[in-house]
Amino acid sequence: MPRFLSVPSAAPPVFDAARKWTDFLTARVRAPSFFLTAAALAALLVLMRLPYRWTSNEENYFLLAWRWVEPAATGPWSSAFDQSGARFAAYWLLGNAIRLFGFEGAHILSAVAVTVLLAYGLARLGRAFGVAPLPLLAAVAFYVLCRQTLMGDEWFLGGNETKSFAYGFVFLALADAVEQRMLRATLWSALAFYLHFQVSGFWFGAVLFLYLLNGGSFRRAGIAILFLIAATAPVTMALWADQRLFAQTPRPAGMPDADYIYAILRSPHHLAPFASEHGWAGRATLGLGLAAGIAWIVRLLSPGASPVTRRLGVLVSLL
């Protein structure tokens, strides 16, 4: 055979390296790693938050956080209100971020942090339920596009509020509950409680349910409840003192009290589902239907899903 037609016994190193790199990428596409799934979720969450801008709630909470660390920063007639003492941990963290980086810097930093936390939490939750990356991305995108109105007209993606951080920890707690790591799930729930006690308090019930649904111990569930109560006692005490011990709600004669003004007149979409046509009862019903549809789609697209995923899909469908 002429020399110019002979085939080398081994490929040049550069070709061998290219082949190995191609094989690595192919394997990652066929079976994406956990961190690749989390990165894809982070990119999706960034896209779904566009256009990126300040919200009215963020302006209020950032100003309250700044006033928490710098009491003399604003006068007594500041437009920022809603001074719940139960937010002391969140206000301290956010206020010091503002002190270090300014309002715009803290806003950007908190947006990056909450996106990373939510993406990581959702990736963990998807892995715990055995949901493939593509159906997980589709479910998250579909839920966000449907206005996230599962309950109380609430959302987890839409601003750099402390409740968004709390939801990130809730996702981690739900994932650990499915994987029977109840102590760690309770720790995540306690962290969420310090950021938003309502989000954590409500979803800790779901954490316990998933833990027991997957064969968890009732004894450990009871210990987890006691541990959460002890770990969150400072927030509970601050909330009780703020609302009962030091609260003063003057009411002029013939005028409604502050609770009625807030719950019925100002924010019925949160607290009074049937108060007006803007209440959340109808949207909650729609949200439950969407959740059932999402659960069913995820079940169909993930034939290898765990029995817990199937049972949860049936449960949500029945709701």
Side-chain angles (χ1 to χ4, degrees):
M1 177 182 298
R3 182 179 294 275
F4 64 86
L5 292 179
S6 62
V7 179
S9 57
V14 64
F15 291 158
D16 187 56
R19 179 184 58 80
K20 290 181 179 179
W21 179 246
T22 303
D23 292 343
F24 173 80
L25 290 179
T26 303
R28 298 285 79 75
V29 172
R30 290 176 179 172
S33 69
F34 169 79
F35 289 103
L36 188 60
T37 302
L41 281 166
L44 176 67
L45 296 179
V46 169
L47 290 174
M48 303 205 78
R49 272 200 61 179
L50 295 176
Y52 182 77
R53 59 179 179 267
W54 283 82
T55 67
S56 59
N57 277 2
E58 287 174 345
E59 293 174 358
N60 186 62
Y61 292 137
F62 272 64
L63 186 55
L64 287 172
W66 176 236
R67 193 164 65 190
W68 187 269
V69 298
E70 292 289 345
T74 60
W77 306 109
S78 169
S79 61
F81 60 98
D82 193 15
Q83 303 179 63
S84 173
R87 295 194 181 99
F88 63 89
Y91 284 167
W92 184 85
L93 290 171
L94 185 55
N96 280 284
I98 295 170
R99 175 182 286 166
L100 291 173
F101 305 105
F103 278 88
E104 288 295 338
H107 193 233
I108 294 171
L109 180 65
S110 60
V112 173
V114 75
T115 300
V116 171
L117 178 60
L118 287 172
Y120 180 72
L122 287 168
R124 280 284 318 280
L125 190 58
R127 185 175 68 179
F129 280 124
V131 179
L134 187 58
L136 179 62
L137 289 166
V140 172
F142 185 64
Y143 182 69
V144 173
L145 287 173
C146 290
R147 292 188 55 194
Q148 313 175 64
T149 55
L150 175 60
M151 187 168 187
D153 206 19
E154 277 295 299
W155 45 264
F156 72 90
L157 180 70
N160 306 340
E161 296 183 29
T162 53
K163 71 177 177 184
S164 297
F165 287 91
Y167 275 116
F169 289 121
V170 163
F171 294 151
L172 292 173
L174 291 169
D176 281 326
V178 173
E179 296 172 351
Q180 297 293 286
R181 297 187 178 99
M182 195 56 199
L183 175 59
R184 202 161 70 179
T186 309
L187 288 174
W188 294 130
S189 298
L191 285 174
F193 200 95
Y194 276 86
L195 296 172
H196 200 290
F197 69 92
Q198 292 164 310
V199 168
S200 175
F202 174 81
W203 282 103
F204 186 68
V207 168
L208 289 173
F209 175 79
L210 285 177
Y211 173 71
L212 295 173
L213 182 68
N214 203 30
S217 164
F218 281 93
R219 177 175 172 272
R220 289 192 175 184
I223 293 173
I225 294 174
L226 294 177
F227 180 82
L228 184 71
I229 292 173
T232 58
V235 181
T236 305
M237 293 175 63
L239 183 65
W240 178 81
D242 184 61
Q243 299 296 318
R244 297 298 178 189
L245 191 60
F246 302 117
Q248 296 182 7
T249 56
R251 180 175 60 174
M255 297 295 291
D257 59 17
D259 289 337
Y260 182 88
I261 292 172
Y262 184 84
I264 305 300
L265 301 180
R266 180 182 180 272
S267 301
H269 59 283
H270 278 319
L271 304 172
F274 303 104
S276 71
E277 68 274 12
H278 302 295
W280 54 265
R283 290 196 293 272
T285 303
L286 174 62
L288 288 171
L290 291 174
I294 292 170
W296 191 257
I297 291 171
V298 168
R299 182 176 180 272
L300 291 178
L301 296 178
S302 301
S306 66
V308 176
T309 306
R310 298 194 185 96
R311 277 179 281 178
L312 186 65
V314 172
L315 176 68
V316 175
S317 299
L318 288 175
L319 287 175

